[in-house]
Amino acid sequence: MLAAIVLLTGLACLVGWEVLCLGEVARAERVRLLPRWAWVLACLMLIPTGGILYLLYLLVGRVWHRGAARS
C-alpha cells in the first residue's frame, strides 16, 4: 500500500512538472536556441531532464535590464 502511494505521488509530481514546463514553452514570448516544437519534444521525451534544461535555459537566457521595474 505504501509503495503504491509513493508511486502515485511520484507520478503526480512528474505530470505536474511536465504541465509546468509545457505551459512555460507555450507562454514564452520568444524561444531561442531551438524551435518551440523542439523544446516541446525535449520536455516530453527527456522527462524530467528536458524540462530542467528548458527552465535553466530560461534563467540563463533571460535578458536582465538594470533599473527596470519588476512586474
Side-chain angles (χ1 to χ4, degrees), residues 5 8 17 41:
I5 293 172
L8 288 175
W17 177 253
L41 283 179

Side-chain angles (χ1 to χ4, degrees), residues 10-31:
L11 186 62
C13 287
L14 284 177
V15 169
W17 177 253
E18 285 303 307
V19 169
L20 173 76
C21 292
L22 294 175
E24 287 294 323
V25 172
R27 289 186 314 148
E29 185 175 299
R30 182 171 158 231
V31 180

Side-chain angles (χ1 to χ4, degrees), residues 2-68:
L2 181 61
I5 293 172
V6 170
L7 183 65
L8 288 175
T9 303
L11 186 62
C13 287
L14 284 177
V15 169
W17 177 253
E18 285 303 307
V19 169
L20 173 76
C21 292
L22 294 175
E24 287 294 323
V25 172
R27 289 186 314 148
E29 185 175 299
R30 182 171 158 231
V31 180
R32 294 172 287 185
L33 190 63
L34 292 174
R36 191 177 306 266
W37 62 266
W39 280 116
V40 169
L41 283 179
C43 289
L44 289 175
M45 293 176 64
L46 302 172
I47 298 171
T49 310
I52 292 170
L53 290 174
Y54 180 71
L55 292 178
L56 283 175
Y57 161 74
L58 283 179
L59 290 174
V60 172
R62 177 172 290 176
V63 177
W64 300 98
H65 297 287
R66 174 176 261 165

